[in-house]
Amino acid sequence: MTTLLWIIAMILVLGALAYLRVSLLTATIAAAVVMTAGWTFDVVGPISWIIFLVVALPLNISAFRQNVISRPLMKVYRGIMPEMSSTEKEAIEAGTTWWEADLFAGNPNWKKLHNYPVARLSADEQAFLDGPVEEVCRMVNQHQVSHQLADLPADVWQYLKDNGFFAMIIKKKYGGLEYSAYAQSRVLQKLAGLSSELASTVGVPNSLGPGELLQHYGTPEQQNHYLPRLAKGLEVPCFALTSPEAGSDAGSIPDFGIVCKGQWEGEEVLGMKLTWNKRYITLAPVATVLGLAFKLRDPEHILGDKEELGITCALIPTDMEGVETGRRHFPLNCMFQNGPTHGNEVFVPLSFIIGGPKMAGQGWRMLVECLSVGRGITLPSNSAGGVKTAALATGAYARIRRQFKLPIGKLEGIEEPMARIGGNAYLMDAVTTLTTTGIDLGEKPSVISAIVKYHLTDRMQKCVIDAMDIHGGKGVCLGPNNYLGRGYQAAPIAITVEGANILTRSMIIYGQGAIRCHPYVLAEMESAFDTESGQGLANFDAAIFGHIGFATSNFIRSFWLGLTSSRFSNAPYSDKTKRYYQQMNRFSANLALLSDLAMATLGGNLKRKERISARLGDLLSQLYLASATLKRYEDEGRQTDDLPLVQWAVEDALYKLQASLDDLLDNFPMGLGGALRVVMFPFGRPLKRPSDVLDHKVAKIMQTPCESRDRLGKGQFWTNSEHNAVGIQEQTLLDIIASEPLHDKVCKASGKRLPFMWLDKVAAEGKALGVLSDDEVNLLERAEIGRMKSINVDDFDPAELRPEVVSTSSQERAA
């Protein structure tokens, strides 16, 4: 019996030490203490001590461990894991890791998350949103843009240039606005809620483009020439990366430049002949300066020994001879300026390279770093803004529109998709806020940017489909009063650009995350192939034994958190969010364990097992989305009225995570899924999708004017102006709600149950019965006008549906 108790004590001690992630030396000392206790109680004998010392001493003597254990392991490792290519290495090293690394490590520090600063707008940024952004939204008639002009009007283009919309990222010393990433996000959200063309036109110059690249890498001469002109709108930039043969695989671009001498402004200079054929380049049809990515070659070794210098970025004025701006693309009726650009052996000096000749071949790193920032702002913000506006507009419509003598929003079948829209609107706003907070702290979050690009554009598309279903005919008949149709058409564009979502999920999120976020893998890879520094073996030894301890800890944590349903793990609060933190502790440990096992069983083949990688990426992604939601709830003062939105968003994210984890275990390599399921889900899957009761609460918030609803749609364009159908509908919502007791009053006075329609006639009857004041009559009459405007669909003379042929070219309107 004593022996059994001692064995249990040793297992518990070692398990607790692994759970707590103590050092090897501490674990050895603790084990020695338990051995001593066993000796005292005559359980442990000399042979047991000899075995213990034979195992423990070599592990704690670094020189012995390195040469006897780590050196053979390093040889095996080199055979399993191929050395990274230079392109892969540049992509991995270009970005930084942030909160996602904590989630990946199996033991999130929730205090660290909540200690990140609360995102706030400066006085200038808020004034810009309330002033120029509000005004340009008033100016835009979306139906005119998408159906009549196929472009933004000339006065809108000029207003954008005059008011610095293309200069949000440019520093003030160059005449720019120098806004935070958070402010840029809020601007794009507001614009996107009204017009995807407007948001795209503003977003691209402030994302991956010449302005961003110039500020980070440009020479002083390039910065002083171009940045003030970009800030004033004297130059319209675009960036040409995508080729017909290289979309998501940007590293395979076929466009090239040849280093050579040539004539420039009457003199022979050292330069390059550029040949390119680019497609799908936003703003290309109206751009005056072209940022161009190409592969630079030096066949005559003019610059040095290397012939293939690598991807390079240059700035090319579009009015140069040989630069051909193609005709416009027509991306799903979304009329932002987009088109091809071509050039054949266009000679330019080497000084046109962004950063000058010294940056030849450095373009891939430049692009990855800048893309990780821009991809984390533009498309996620556009998606969040579109869904926020759709959430409140759908809520208003569902409250105004009646069927079966009820507002349709009270029908349970409608509540389900409404909850998806509302819950996602809350989550997506939270995610953009946390992501831009990281960027403003100086991070270049390549993994997070891939997560938010994929998941927010995907959720946006699904939410728009839900909103279309709720609106029915109102959503499918295009016209000035349809605020959904063009967004529905444009949704696949966001899914496709800046890395197609399929590849982003299956290759990029986990492909980068596994190496960048794991605390030991990158160090192992670098040290294993380090043959020059003399520290390769020592570094590999530290990394591999750290990794072994890390994996052991995550196995113990996964087992214990699964066995206890994570009820004893840490959580920063004891309210209704407590269980969410605890469940995320559990899934974080699962992710860390499964990552190690996947890498151990598949090695370098893991990157080719895209569905395994995708599901592992899903685990990391959903943890990030859920944690952003909880961070928002904390930052906004833990408003209990918002709890239904918080609960729906987190429960939906964690349920999706659980589904991906379940699929992963079903398909785990070497048949390990069954055993791992016993460890992780000893009592079955613990989570359920958001309940019907929760759906009802979220749908009710969307339909009821209140502070929670205001926070859900904060910052969007709600002004009741001529061309803003959602702003007009917001006023109608207030009028309809105010009209309901007046309707009941007239019904009671007349002794009849009048239908809630023809409110002008109800008003007339109430006035005749003497139960309504003139103001109440006016309210009912105004409510009826708004009600009909909300539920009716646009109709046209057949001739109006033929697109107008505008003589003024798009280029002239934008000039």
Side-chain angles (χ1 to χ4, degrees):
M1 185 64 181
T2 304
T3 302
L4 178 61
L5 291 174
W6 180 84
I7 293 172
I8 293 173
M10 177 64 87
I11 292 172
L12 290 176
V13 168
L14 293 179
L17 293 172
Y19 184 94
L20 296 172
R21 298 184 174 178
V22 302
S23 68
L24 175 61
L25 179 60
T26 301
T28 303
I29 293 171
V33 170
V34 179
M35 290 289 291
T36 302
W39 178 273
T40 302
F41 291 101
D42 202 28
V43 173
V44 175
I47 295 177
S48 299
W49 269 110
I50 292 171
I51 294 172
F52 172 75
L53 293 173
V54 167
V55 173
L57 289 177
L59 291 178
N60 284 276
I61 300 172
S62 59
F64 181 89
R65 188 181 67 223
Q66 288 176 22
N67 287 287
V68 176
I69 302 175
S70 296
R71 190 181 296 277
L73 284 177
M74 188 163 70
K75 292 181 180 179
V76 174
Y77 187 93
R78 286 173 177 168
I80 295 174
M81 297 293 291
E83 187 172 6
M84 284 189 292
S85 67
S86 59
T87 301
E88 289 175 318
K89 190 171 183 180
E90 287 178 1
I92 291 296
E93 293 177 347
T96 61
T97 58
W98 190 50
W99 172 243
E100 76 278 24
D102 285 67
L103 295 170
F104 199 98
N107 188 22
N109 184 343
W110 301 115
K111 183 177 180 180
K112 177 180 178 180
L113 172 68
H114 291 312
N115 281 342
Y116 290 134
V118 178
R120 301 190 190 282
L121 297 170
S122 69
D124 287 346
E125 291 166 345
Q126 187 63 62
F128 187 73
L129 275 163
D130 295 339
V133 179
E134 180 80 8
E135 180 58 29
V136 81
C137 287
R138 289 177 183 267
M139 295 170 67
V140 171
N141 177 342
Q142 179 59 25
H143 180 69
Q144 179 192 51
V145 170
S146 60
H147 182 69
Q148 297 170 344
L149 297 181
D151 192 9
L152 295 172
D155 61 334
V156 172
W157 272 102
Q158 194 60 48
Y159 190 86
L160 294 174
K161 295 176 182 179
D162 292 344
N163 288 275
F165 279 84
F166 300 149
M168 290 191 290
I169 63 167
I170 296 176
K171 296 184 184 299
K172 290 181 180 179
K173 68 179 182 179
Y174 299 113
L177 300 178
E178 199 173 344
Y179 283 167
S180 64
Y182 177 64
Q184 295 173 47
S185 175
R186 307 314 287 190
V187 170
L188 293 176
Q189 285 189 35
K190 189 166 185 173
L191 300 179
L194 175 72
S195 166
S196 59
E197 289 87 353
L198 186 58
S200 298
T201 299
V202 172
V204 169
N206 291 288
S207 178
L208 175 60
E212 178 82 1
L213 293 169
L214 280 169
Q215 290 199 129
H216 285 87
Y217 308 104
T219 64
E221 294 78 12
Q222 291 170 339
Q223 292 172 340
N224 291 330
H225 174 75
Y226 279 112
L227 290 175
R229 294 178 61 80
L230 289 168
K232 294 176 183 177
L234 300 177
E235 302 278 7
V236 176
C238 72
F239 192 83
L241 176 61
T242 305
S243 301
E245 297 87 355
S248 296
D249 184 14
S252 298
I253 55 175
D255 314 284
F256 64 93
I258 303 295
V259 177
C260 61
K261 292 182 179 180
Q263 291 294 313
W264 181 257
E265 297 181 345
E267 298 182 8
E268 185 178 71
V269 300
L270 188 59
M272 48 193 175
K273 286 184 179 180
L274 304 176
T275 298
W276 72 92
N277 178 28
K278 302 289 191 178
R279 288 288 187 275
Y280 206 69
I281 309 305
T282 299
L283 296 186
V286 297
T288 62
V289 58
L290 170 69
L292 183 67
F294 56 93
K295 288 183 176 177
L296 186 59
R297 302 170 185 165
D298 186 12
E300 298 181 11
H301 302 285
I302 296 173
L303 299 181
D305 296 334
K306 292 180 65 175
E307 183 170 328
E308 298 290 336
L309 299 179
I311 294 176
T312 302
C313 298
L315 289 178
I316 315 295
T318 58
D319 60 359
M320 279 186 57
E321 184 178 353
V323 178
E324 299 180 22
T325 299
R327 301 187 301 172
R328 287 181 63 179
H329 297 316
F330 189 27
L332 291 175
N333 276 329
C334 188
M335 299 298 180
F336 63 95
Q337 292 285 342
N338 187 274
T341 174
H342 321 273
N344 184 38
E345 296 191 348
V346 177
F347 180 81
V348 299
L350 287 180
S351 61
F352 277 34
I353 295 174
I354 297 176
K358 67 179 182 180
M359 295 302 289
Q362 301 299 309
W364 182 241
R365 183 183 183 90
M366 293 161 60
L367 291 172
V368 172
E369 285 189 344
C370 289
L371 183 60
S372 71
V373 174
R375 188 168 56 186
I377 299 174
T378 307
L379 285 173
S381 299
N382 291 354
S383 299
V387 173
K388 285 167 64 177
T389 294
L392 266 62
T394 302
Y397 178 80
R399 187 70 178 79
I400 295 166
R401 174 69 164 157
R402 293 191 173 222
Q403 296 281 273
F404 311 109
K405 300 181 180 180
L406 283 173
I408 64 170
K410 292 188 177 182
L411 303 174
E412 287 193 357
I414 298 294
E415 285 182 344
E416 183 179 2
M418 282 187 68
R420 289 196 292 264
I421 300 169
N424 276 301
Y426 187 92
L427 177 144
M428 293 167 72
D429 199 2
V431 171
T432 57
T433 299
L434 180 60
T435 303
T436 53
T437 295
I439 293 171
D440 285 329
L441 289 173
E443 303 293 340
K444 295 179 179 178
S446 56
V447 177
I448 286 177
S449 68
I451 289 171
V452 298
K453 188 275 172 180
Y454 164 63
H455 285 279
L456 266 60
T457 57
D458 179 69
R459 286 173 179 252
M460 175 271 296
Q461 185 182 46
K462 291 178 170 63
C463 286
V464 173
I465 292 172
D466 278 335
M468 292 286 285
D469 285 348
I470 293 168
H471 282 74
K474 171 78 172 181
V476 300
C477 292
L478 293 173
N481 289 308
N482 185 330
Y483 42 77
L484 290 176
R486 294 300 188 187
Y488 170 80
Q489 289 179 314
I493 300 172
I495 299 292
T496 301
V497 300
E498 291 191 15
N501 273 6
I502 291 175
L503 294 183
T504 300
R505 175 176 178 257
S506 60
M507 296 179 65
I508 297 175
I509 294 175
Y510 189 77
Q512 289 189 341
I515 298 174
R516 288 310 313 269
C517 296
H518 197 288
Y520 299 105
V521 167
L522 184 58
E524 288 170 352
M525 295 179 72
E526 290 177 339
S527 59
F529 295 97
D530 179 7
T531 58
E532 298 179 0
S533 72
Q535 291 296 310
L537 178 59
N539 292 337
F540 181 81
D541 173 77
I544 197 69
F545 275 90
H547 195 158
I548 292 169
F550 178 73
T552 303
S553 173
N554 286 312
F555 177 83
I556 297 298
R557 290 180 63 82
S558 292
F559 175 74
W560 175 250
L561 294 173
L563 191 65
T564 62
S565 192
S566 63
R567 290 189 179 275
F568 303 109
S569 66
N570 68 299
Y573 295 98
S574 298
D575 60 8
K576 291 185 177 180
T577 65
K578 177 179 179 179
R579 290 294 293 144
Y580 301 143
Y581 290 103
Q582 292 177 328
Q583 288 158 351
M584 291 168 71
N585 291 335
R586 175 182 185 172
F587 287 129
S588 177
N590 294 165
L591 167 62
L593 175 61
L594 290 168
S595 293
D596 281 332
L597 290 174
M599 286 185 278
T601 55
L602 293 172
N605 289 324
L606 178 57
K607 64 183 179 182
R608 286 182 284 276
K609 291 292 185 179
E610 294 175 12
R611 299 184 76 173
I612 299 294
S613 293
R615 290 162 183 145
L616 287 165
D618 289 344
L619 270 62
L620 178 61
S621 298
Q622 300 298 347
L623 284 170
Y624 182 75
L625 303 185
S627 61
T629 303
L630 293 170
K631 166 69 169 166
R632 174 181 179 176
Y633 184 58
E634 167 74 6
D635 288 351
E636 293 183 348
R638 308 189 73 79
Q639 304 287 336
T640 55
D641 289 345
D642 295 354
L643 260 177
L645 296 165
V646 178
Q647 291 174 303
W648 195 99
V650 176
E651 289 178 20
D652 178 70
L654 295 185
Y655 183 79
K656 286 182 167 68
L657 184 156
Q658 180 180 257
S660 289
L661 177 52
D662 195 43
D663 289 341
L664 177 59
L665 294 177
D666 283 342
N667 296 277
F668 207 79
M670 297 178 63
L672 293 176
L676 290 169
R677 189 180 298 279
V678 174
V679 173
M680 296 177 183
F681 293 148
F683 305 112
R685 292 182 296 176
L687 302 182
K688 297 179 180 179
R689 67 175 74 247
S691 67
D692 294 352
V693 172
L694 201 51
D695 284 356
H696 170 76
K697 291 178 179 178
V698 172
K700 186 176 180 180
I701 289 173
M702 294 168 65
Q703 299 173 74
T704 308
C706 60
E707 291 183 359
S708 289
R709 187 176 188 271
D710 291 343
R711 284 189 287 270
L712 188 62
K714 183 179 179 181
Q716 297 306 103
F717 181 53
W718 303 118
T719 303
N720 182 357
S721 59
E722 180 183 3
H723 303 304
N724 188 19
V726 296
I728 296 170
Q729 187 168 262
E730 280 293 293
Q731 181 59 53
T732 299
L733 172 65
L734 299 176
D735 290 342
I736 287 294
I737 291 173
S739 296
E740 287 175 348
L742 303 182
H743 176 266
D744 291 341
K745 186 191 295 186
V746 175
C747 289
K748 184 176 181 180
S750 67
K752 297 179 290 186
R753 188 61 196 171
L754 302 171
F756 195 85
M757 60 178 69
W758 306 312
L759 298 180
D760 52 341
K761 295 180 180 179
V762 174
E765 186 163 350
K767 184 174 184 180
L769 292 170
V771 296
L772 296 180
S773 67
D774 289 343
D775 287 344
E776 290 171 332
V777 168
N778 291 337
L779 172 60
L780 283 168
E781 291 175 344
R782 185 174 72 241
E784 179 61 16
I785 293 171
R787 187 183 74 86
M788 293 305 296
K789 189 176 184 66
S790 180
I791 67 175
N792 270 339
V793 299
D794 296 295
D795 53 73
F796 302 90
D797 183 285
E800 293 181 78
L801 296 180
R802 293 193 292 270
E804 180 182 353
V805 179
V806 183
S807 59
T808 305
S809 70
S810 298
Q811 288 87 339
E812 290 171 336
R813 285 199 299 275

